[in-house]
Amino acid sequence: MDNTLNEAVRGNAAQQLLDNEIYKEAITKVHDGILNAMKSAPMGDEKTHNRLVIALQLLAQIERHIEDIANTGKMARLQMEENSLRNKFRNIAGF
């Protein structure tokens, strides 16, 4: 499978994941759970607060990575469409 097609397939899978209601629910539940833990942790417990901030940052990185794959897939599909149109034009024009 060529790289552009592979990126398009991966992007489609990533977009399906982002659109999945169970995935959305899981992300929201984990995010809210981290925030609630931060609110209920004692003010002087810096170690717990730091760990929870890191957990929140990691959750955001996971979401961004999946979004990046989806966006790369969209660009790959556009590139494939452009190449297809270019090839059709070349065939019609005799190039």
Side-chain angles (χ1 to χ4, degrees), residues 13-16 28 30 32 36 45 64 69 73 83 88:
Q15 190 60 55
Q16 287 178 349
T28 300
V30 170
D32 291 349
N36 287 333
D45 191 352
R64 275 194 304 273
I69 293 171
N83 289 342
K88 286 179 185 177

Side-chain angles (χ1 to χ4, degrees), residues 43-66:
M43 288 293 287
D45 191 352
E46 290 181 30
K47 188 175 184 179
T48 298
H49 281 277
N50 288 341
R51 287 182 177 173
L52 292 168
V53 167
I54 290 169
L56 204 54
Q57 290 171 341
L58 289 172
L59 182 63
Q61 284 181 347
I62 290 168
E63 287 183 281
R64 275 194 304 273
H65 183 69
I66 296 169

Side-chain angles (χ1 to χ4, degrees), residues 5 7 9 15-16 20 22 32 57 78 80 83 85:
L5 179 58
E7 287 177 347
V9 169
Q15 190 60 55
Q16 287 178 349
N20 184 292
I22 294 171
D32 291 349
Q57 290 171 341
L78 289 173
M80 289 169 55
N83 289 342
L85 289 173

Side-chain angles (χ1 to χ4, degrees), residues 2 4-5 8 75-85:
D2 94 353
T4 305
L5 179 58
M75 295 302 294
R77 282 191 302 279
L78 289 173
Q79 185 177 7
M80 289 169 55
E81 291 172 12
E82 181 181 307
N83 289 342
S84 176
L85 289 173

